[in-house]
Amino acid sequence: MEDIEDVVAAGAPPGLRLPLTAVGMKPKKKPRVRLVGDPLSNPQIPGTQTIYMKTFGCSHNQSDSEYMAGQLSAFGYATTDDPEEADLWLINTCTVKSPSQSAMTTLISKCKSAKKPLVVAGCVPQGSRDLKELEGVSVIGVQQIGRVVEVVEETLKGHEVRLLSRKTLPALDLPKVRKNRFIEILPINVGCLGACTYCKTKHARGHLGSYTVNSLVERVKMVVSEGVKEIWLSSEDTGAYGRDIGTNLPVLLNSIVAELPPDGSTMLRIGMTNPPFILEHLKEIANILCHPCVYSFLHVPVQSGSDSVLAAMNREYTVSEFRMVVDTLIELVPGMQIATDIICGFPGENDEDFAQTVGLIKEYQFPQVHISQFYPRPGTPAARMKKVPSTVVKKRSRELTNVFESFSPYKGMEGRVERIWITEIATDGIHLVGHTKGYIQVLVIASESMLGTSTDVKITSVGRWSIFGEVIETPSAQVKENTYQGNITLEAFPCPSSSDKDPEPCQCAVQNLGQKISGCGHDEAPVAIVINSSTTRNHIGRNFISSLQSMLLRKRRQQGSMRMNDVDANKFLENQETRRMSGKLATMDWILLSGMIVSFLTTIALLILLSSRMLSS
């Protein structure tokens, strides 16, 4: 079937919603008969149905799903986590690896078996529009998410709709329902400039298309005003940003940082960047990563430690260039944390190539390494290359995983004091999740009122996969003018200057309290911040009860499997607090009433006793 834009003669201006008569539709022979159980949910009235949404893939896909949920919610549709109670399923797909596409296929089969209307969005239909599994279902492409309401409306009527053209970037100011109300995932561009031989995403997301600096800055201003505490810049390649519109990543980052609150309440996380497009801006990027409102963390995929394999992948960089990126950032950014990716068993990879990869990972001992087995994606050049035997691929994957798991990247953190930004509840339903300046995850037990705040914690235990901390009372940081490009920045101690060497491209930001800061262009120790142990104990004592109550409340909600959005969660907490207070008041009322009854009965008994004595006398 043709795309909807090809069906409509002369098209329509960008942003204009097409009338229903102009929408290309393919009626089904037997529309599904729906039993109406809820009088408010009428299949004939658009905007009254319930949608089940499932998202696969990267943070960019998650952002797309949040935009689609926002538009559907604004039009009156409800969303649910229970596919059984939904009137329509909307699946946002990922085409990076075979397992994610296989999971999508399984879900599509379940939906068809349940005879539910289905809309498939994302990279799979965009990159493989003729896929057999997509026959008979509505599809919407990655740059058409702004018209998801139209597709859902027509699909609920029994029509099959296809929207796959890539003409303009989706608007950034569309309604949005965030999965986490404290985190905004902000796509800065779509597509990339690379041509990796194994990549299917390029088929879906296409060539590089960047949003303007002004549009992104305006979006940042908006989300900060809405209470967002963490902004993730998302992209298929962050480093390539702006090359199609005459700007670059440092210009964008400096413009965004200038709009972040000077009190450090909102943090910025820079997304994945490939080595080629960050090399020429390394010192500028390092300077920005040192800013107190930017996490000192970057995801830089290397994929292989062998130049010959990188050439076969068409990655457009060498291992030495990757080393230059990592070495420069580690040298110039205090506490820098770098994550990377490895593909095991790429076609042509021999034992020596793999040994070089293992050596590279051992040398740097990255705290995060995403290890994948090679999966040939249909339509890519690598799919036509001679494969490494699957047994060898699995063996190499296991070996590299064992090497990675032998590292202790957080050794030495126990006992230190770190500032963390708390944004979510852990999957165990007990702990809150915070991240350090280096984006190291720390789990703490604290009241839910601390969500969306930052605090200092003492690291109490460090494991291979988990770090636990204890919230402590901290002195308030000072806000003052800093020399960082004329912006207001947050500092907890002064930064002595150094006259015997050129200034490093960073300023002394809020770092580990009580620790000496290195790499900031001076050797003097920072002014010590003394935390009185008795004050800390008193603070912990004051907060223990509320933290315990909050922990138990979260555990009960998890065991009850309650599913709620942000609004429902707030109402739930308010109701819980009201019931708790009501319970306290009811108890006091009963005590008072009992006392009144006892007093009344005692008075009656005394009167009877006095009367009997008077009569007897």
Side-chain angles (χ1 to χ4, degrees):
M1 183 180 176
E2 297 176 289
D3 288 350
I4 187 170
E5 283 80 0
D6 300 327
V7 173
V8 181
L16 176 65
R17 178 170 172 173
L18 292 172
L20 296 183
T21 54
V23 177
M25 299 176 291
K26 180 180 178 181
K28 294 182 179 179
K29 294 181 179 179
K30 295 182 179 180
R32 185 176 70 93
V33 178
R34 182 180 182 279
L35 297 177
V36 181
D38 182 359
L40 296 179
S41 178
N42 190 325
Q44 303 302 322
I45 303 176
T48 61
Q49 294 81 11
T50 301
I51 312 296
Y52 167 68
M53 296 186 66
K54 176 67 176 179
T55 304
F56 295 95
C58 63
S59 60
H60 197 160
N61 259 24
Q62 180 61 46
S63 177
D64 287 350
S65 290
E66 292 176 356
Y67 273 123
M68 288 190 285
Q71 294 170 83
L72 292 168
S73 177
F75 201 79
Y77 291 99
T79 57
T80 178
D81 291 329
D82 185 359
E84 296 300 323
E85 68 179 30
D87 300 301
L88 177 143
W89 291 15
L90 197 164
I91 306 173
N92 195 4
T93 60
C94 172
T95 189
V96 171
K97 300 177 184 178
S98 297
S100 59
Q101 187 163 330
S102 298
M104 175 213 72
T105 302
T106 301
L107 200 58
I108 289 175
S109 298
K110 289 182 178 179
C111 184
K112 290 181 176 179
S113 298
K115 297 182 179 180
K116 301 272 189 179
L118 173 64
V119 175
V120 179
C123 292
V124 171
Q126 189 73 70
S128 307
R129 61 179 65 192
D130 297 324
L131 201 65
K132 182 179 179 180
E133 288 80 4
L134 299 178
E135 293 179 0
V137 302
S138 294
V139 295
I140 181 169
V142 294
Q143 292 188 19
Q144 298 288 341
I145 60 174
R147 299 175 66 182
V148 65
V149 173
E150 293 175 67
V151 177
V152 167
E153 284 179 1
E154 295 307 318
T155 304
L156 284 168
K157 293 176 182 178
H159 302 139
E160 178 186 338
V161 185
R162 294 172 63 91
L163 274 170
L164 293 171
S165 291
R166 292 186 302 221
K167 293 183 178 180
T168 58
L169 298 177
L172 293 173
D173 59 355
L174 293 170
K176 194 171 191 179
V177 175
R178 300 183 187 93
K179 183 178 181 181
N180 184 326
R181 63 192 174 101
F182 296 113
I183 297 176
E184 165 72 7
I185 304 173
L186 179 59
I188 62 174
N189 58 263
V190 300
C192 67
L193 294 175
C196 300
T197 55
Y198 58 84
C199 183
K200 185 73 173 178
T201 306
K202 182 65 178 278
H203 295 187
R205 295 285 181 178
H207 198 66
L208 180 68
S210 302
Y211 289 95
T212 65
V213 172
N214 288 339
S215 65
L216 292 166
V217 169
E218 288 303 313
R219 181 65 183 175
V220 168
K221 291 180 182 178
M222 179 185 296
V223 302
V224 169
S225 69
E226 293 171 351
V228 164
K229 300 302 179 183
E230 203 167 279
I231 300 173
W232 297 0
L233 300 186
S234 178
S235 166
E236 281 66 57
D237 187 355
T238 303
Y241 170 80
R243 289 173 177 261
D244 57 322
I245 57 174
T247 186
N248 57 51
L249 182 61
V251 170
L252 172 65
L253 295 178
N254 284 317
S255 299
I256 290 177
V257 165
E259 300 299 332
L260 297 179
D263 61 359
S265 58
T266 301
M267 295 294 288
L268 179 70
R269 194 187 83 174
I270 303 174
M272 184 274 289
T273 178
N274 288 311
F277 301 114
I278 193 179
L279 279 168
E280 65 187 81
H281 302 301
L282 269 179
K283 289 191 176 181
E284 295 170 277
I285 298 297
N287 185 34
I288 294 163
L289 288 167
C290 281
H291 191 280
C293 293
V294 180
Y295 285 119
S296 304
F297 168 84
L298 200 60
H299 179 194
V300 187
V302 63
Q303 304 300 6
S304 175
S306 165
D307 283 339
S308 61
V309 173
L310 291 177
M313 293 178 172
N314 196 30
R315 289 290 288 170
E316 300 180 345
Y317 60 86
T318 63
V319 176
S320 63
E321 289 173 325
F322 171 78
R323 289 177 181 273
M324 183 185 301
V325 171
V326 175
D327 293 341
T328 301
L329 294 178
I330 291 176
E331 177 187 356
L332 299 180
V333 183
M336 184 68 196
Q337 298 285 308
I338 296 177
T340 195
D341 299 349
I342 295 292
I343 297 176
C344 291
F346 189 82
E349 181 187 69
N350 56 35
D351 291 340
E352 177 60 26
D353 295 324
F354 179 67
Q356 292 175 11
T357 298
V358 173
L360 182 70
I361 299 302
K362 283 183 176 179
E363 177 183 350
Y364 286 98
Q365 297 197 16
F366 299 103
Q368 296 181 39
V369 180
H370 309 120
I371 302 169
S372 300
Q373 299 176 28
F374 171 73
Y375 294 101
R377 305 299 293 127
T380 62
R384 300 189 296 271
M385 298 178 182
K386 185 177 180 180
K387 300 178 185 177
V388 175
S390 59
T391 54
V392 176
V393 175
K394 292 178 181 178
K395 179 182 177 183
R396 290 175 181 172
S397 177
R398 285 194 298 268
E399 180 181 341
L400 187 59
T401 299
N402 290 335
V403 169
F404 168 65
E405 291 180 350
S406 69
F407 302 156
S408 300
Y410 310 121
K411 185 179 180 180
M413 287 189 66
E414 187 169 350
R416 279 164 49 179
V417 175
E418 296 273 355
R419 188 153 197 87
I420 64 170
W421 285 260
I422 302 173
T423 55
E424 58 187 319
I425 299 173
T427 55
D428 64 4
I430 299 175
H431 294 85
L432 300 185
V433 179
H435 291 91
T436 68
K437 177 71 162 62
Y439 209 69
I440 299 172
Q441 180 176 284
V442 179
L443 303 178
V444 296
I445 294 180
S447 169
E448 286 186 26
S449 63
M450 295 196 69
L451 285 170
T453 68
S454 63
T455 186
D456 287 338
V457 298
K458 182 177 181 181
I459 304 302
T460 56
S461 65
V462 176
R464 177 61 183 87
W465 307 111
S466 301
I467 297 177
F468 295 90
E470 184 179 82
V471 176
I472 61 176
E473 189 171 26
T474 61
S476 59
Q478 298 175 353
V479 178
K480 64 180 184 178
E481 289 285 344
N482 189 274
T483 56
Y484 178 87
Q485 301 193 9
N487 297 330
I488 302 286
T489 58
L490 179 70
E491 294 187 351
F493 36 76
C495 291
S497 60
S498 175
S499 59
D500 60 345
K501 59 190 294 188
D502 294 333
E504 296 290 345
C506 81
Q507 71 289 339
C508 295
V510 176
Q511 298 291 340
N512 304 331
L513 303 184
Q515 301 289 325
K516 181 176 179 179
I517 294 186
S518 60
C520 287
H522 59 81
D523 296 324
E524 294 85 355
V527 175
I529 297 180
V530 179
I531 301 173
N532 186 279
S533 59
S534 62
T535 303
T536 301
R537 285 194 297 271
N538 292 337
H539 175 76
I540 294 172
R542 288 195 303 270
N543 287 284
F544 176 75
I545 298 300
S546 62
S547 297
L548 184 60
Q549 290 174 341
S550 181
M551 177 192 72
L552 294 175
L553 177 60
R554 292 197 295 271
K555 194 65 177 176
R556 287 197 298 271
R557 285 207 304 273
Q558 182 194 40
Q559 291 173 345
S561 301
M562 291 187 174
R563 303 177 178 92
M564 58 185 99
N565 56 27
D566 291 331
V567 176
D568 291 335
N570 290 334
K571 290 181 179 178
F572 176 79
L573 293 175
E574 291 171 3
N575 291 337
Q576 285 290 95
E577 185 65 24
T578 301
R579 284 196 293 270
R580 189 158 51 243
M581 292 302 296
S582 298
K584 291 180 180 178
L585 291 174
T587 301
M588 293 299 298
D589 290 341
W590 278 111
I591 292 173
L592 291 173
L593 182 60
S594 299
M596 292 172 64
I597 292 173
V598 170
S599 299
F600 177 76
L601 293 176
T602 302
T603 302
I604 296 297
L606 289 172
L607 289 173
I608 294 173
L609 180 61
L610 289 172
S611 299
S612 62
R613 287 185 177 181
M614 290 175 64
L615 292 173
S616 62
S617 61

